[in-house]
Amino acid sequence: MRLQGYLGIVLGLLAVVNAGYLSKAVWMKTPGNITEVIGGQVTLECRLNNTHDLKARWSRNGTYLTDNDGNIYPEYEIRDGVGQYDLVIKNLSKTDNGFFTCSHVLAEPQHQHAFVNVLIPFESLKLTSHGLNVYSCKATHGKPAATLIRWKIDDRLVASMMPGSLKEDDGCFSTNSVYEINDAVIRSKGTINLTCEVTQLLGVEGQSKSIRVTANHGEIIRPKTKGIVTMVFLVLMVGRLLPA
C-alpha cells in the first residue's frame, strides 16, 4: 500500500511537470507589439508546436474575431499552415488600436498578447508668423499626442520641447508650440529657413513644416508702427505750437 502511495505521488508529479513542459514548449512563435499608420497592414505571428494537434483563436480586447459560425471577420485574415495561425490586420482603423490575443488550450488555457498601436498623423500642421520674430507651430487632430516638438534653423536644432496637448472630442489630440528667433541670427544671415518638427512617437519619423524668414538689408522686418507713432507725435507738437 505504501509503495502504491509513493507511485501515485510520483505519477502526479510527472503529470504536473509534463503539463508545464507542454504549455511552455507549445509556443513556437508569439506576437509582438507593433506600431503602424492608420490604413496600413500588420501581421501578428502565432505559431504552435503541431505535435499536440492544437488550434488557436484570436481575440481583440477580449472579443473573438469570428462570427457565430466561426468565420473570421472580413477585415482580418488568418495565414494558416502547419501550426501556423498568423493574423493579418488589413486597412488598419482606429478601432484596431488595442490588445490582440492568440489563445489555445493544452492542459490549461494559454494566451499570448500583443498591442497594436494605430498611429494617426496630424491632419493639419501650421507654422504661423505673429510678428516681432515670434512663430507658432500648431498640430491638430492626431493620435497619439505629440511627445516632442523640435525647432530648427537651416536644419540645425535650436530648441526641443515637450508640449502640452489638448484632447479632442473623438479621442485625437492637438498641440501648440511658440518660438522666438533672436534678431542677431537673422541679421547675420539675411535669410533663414525655420522648421517646426512634431514627433508623436520616438523612433517614428515626425511631421514638419518650414517657413523662410528674411531680413531687409540686415534689418529685421517688423510691423511698421514706429514711423506712425513718430508722425502722430510731431503732429501733436505742431498743433500745440500754432496760435489758437
Side-chain angles (χ1 to χ4, degrees), residues 11 22 42 69 74-75 101 110 119 125 130 132 138 143 145 158 185 192 195 198 201 213:
L11 291 175
L22 290 177
V42 299
D69 297 324
E75 60 266 35
T101 303
Q110 298 289 321
L119 177 67
L125 181 60
H130 298 279
L132 301 178
K138 185 175 183 180
K143 189 177 181 181
V158 292
V185 174
I192 64 169
T195 300
V198 182
L201 290 173
V213 180

Side-chain angles (χ1 to χ4, degrees), residues 16-104:
V16 171
V17 172
N18 188 48
Y21 170 75
L22 290 177
S23 64
K24 292 180 180 179
V26 73
W27 298 105
M28 304 301 290
K29 277 191 177 181
T30 57
N33 299 338
I34 193 168
T35 296
E36 183 57 69
V37 177
I38 191 169
Q41 177 174 300
V42 299
T43 300
L44 301 177
E45 293 184 318
C46 183
R47 311 284 176 87
L48 305 177
N49 186 337
N50 199 51
T51 57
H52 306 299
D53 194 26
L54 295 169
K55 301 293 183 184
R57 297 182 68 185
W58 279 96
S59 59
R60 183 192 65 200
N61 296 328
T63 303
Y64 285 113
L65 304 180
T66 51
D67 57 24
N68 294 332
D69 297 324
N71 300 313
I72 194 160
Y73 294 132
E75 60 266 35
Y76 305 101
E77 175 187 338
I78 296 292
R79 289 181 179 168
D80 53 357
V82 178
Q84 178 181 0
Y85 296 93
D86 295 350
L87 176 69
V88 180
I89 310 173
K90 302 175 287 185
N91 192 22
L92 280 168
S93 66
K94 292 181 182 179
T95 58
D96 290 319
N97 196 88
F99 282 99
F100 286 77
T101 303
C102 183
S103 306
H104 74 84

